[in-house]
Every structure is written in C-alpha cells, then in structure tokens.
Amino acid sequence: MAEDLSIHTGTKEEQYQSLIPQIKGLLEGEPDLVANLANTVAALKEQFGWLWVGFYLVKQGELVLAPFQGPVACTRISKGRGVCGTSWAQAQTLIVPDVEKFPGHITCSSHSRSEIVVPVIRNGEVIGVLDVDSVETDQFDETDQRYLEEIVDFISF
Ligand code: SME
C-alpha cells in the first residue's frame, strides 16, 4: 500500500474531513500503539504544517513524551503543570490563543504562540494528551477541538 498522504487545501473543516479517513486507513489493522501515534502526528503535521504535534502519555504519574513531529520538546510534565498538565488535571480540551497569557505555560519551543491540548480519556481516566502548537497566535478553535477529539477517540490505546 502506498503511504502518501493526499493533502487537501480548503477550509479547515474540509482539511480535517479529507484527512480523517486517511488517518483511519493508516491505523486500520495495525495494533502497535507507537506506530499508530507516529503516523497520526505525521499526518496532522503534513496536512496543517503546525510547529509541533505530539502525544504525551501518562506513565507513573507523569506525562511522558511520546511520538511527535517538530522541534525537540520537554520530556516530562507533572499533573497540573503547563497547558498539558492542566488539560490532564481538568480532563478537558484547552485552547490557548496566546501562550504568553496562559499562567504556567511551559515553553518547549520559543516559536510557539498558540496551542490546543486534547486529553485522551479511557474508562474515565486521562491516559495521555495530544498537544498541538502553532507559530501564530489564535490558530485553534472549536473546529480543531471537535476533529482532534474525534481523532483521539478512534485511536486504540
Ligand atoms: N507548552 C506545553 C508543553 C509541551 S510543548 O509545547 C511540546 C505546556 O505548557 O504544557
């Protein structure tokens, strides 16, 4: 099977609608979590060109860096710290239009200006987060929230 992604231009909604079936196709029949997370973040990065797209997984009470695309990042984040740790503690998606205005934001890359973090919830527990960063402020909205939550939901963890 060819693994080339078909990149769609158009509205953000159209881009997600083109991308999501392709991500589902990449993950179909593959049980390996690292492989699936790696392809998911690669597909998102390729379609949208964001600065950073990646997962952190809860391990021994901390978020630990998992497959990502973008600049090197902080390895471990405590519960309640930064946008990721706050999303974990609150078990909800956080949209941060301007990272400089988020108290306690953890600067992994000085180029990041806005961010969205989507928790991965299984059996009522947060088991990880999907974090996306953009070089521009105000890049994420309810459309991103809806589709990124859909993507996180269909991955088997
Ligand atoms: N900015 C995040 C840290 C992770 S990096 O952006 C990849 C935070 O405040 O939790």
Side-chain angles (χ1 to χ4, degrees), residues 58 63 78-96 102-103 117-121 124-129 145 149:
V58 175
L63 286 171
S78 304
K79 193 170 190 175
R81 285 207 56 233
V83 187
C84 292
T86 305
S87 170
W88 174 15
Q90 296 180 355
Q92 64 181 21
T93 296
L94 295 180
I95 295 171
V96 180
F102 187 95
V117 178
V118 177
V120 181
I121 301 173
E125 295 263 308
V126 176
I127 59 162
V129 299
Q145 173 169 358
E149 286 177 354

Side-chain angles (χ1 to χ4, degrees), residues 52 56 73 77 82-84 105-106 108 115 131 133:
W52 199 90
Y56 283 88
I77 298 174
V83 187
C84 292
H105 170 260
I106 300 166
C108 286
E115 181 165 359
D131 180 17
D133 288 74

Side-chain angles (χ1 to χ4, degrees), residues 3-23:
E3 305 293 359
D4 286 347
L5 206 64
S6 161
I7 299 299
H8 197 88
T9 52
T11 65
K12 187 187 273 189
E13 182 120 13
E14 287 166 350
Q15 293 183 59
Y16 278 111
Q17 283 172 0
S18 148
L19 186 65
I20 284 178
Q22 298 187 72
I23 295 179

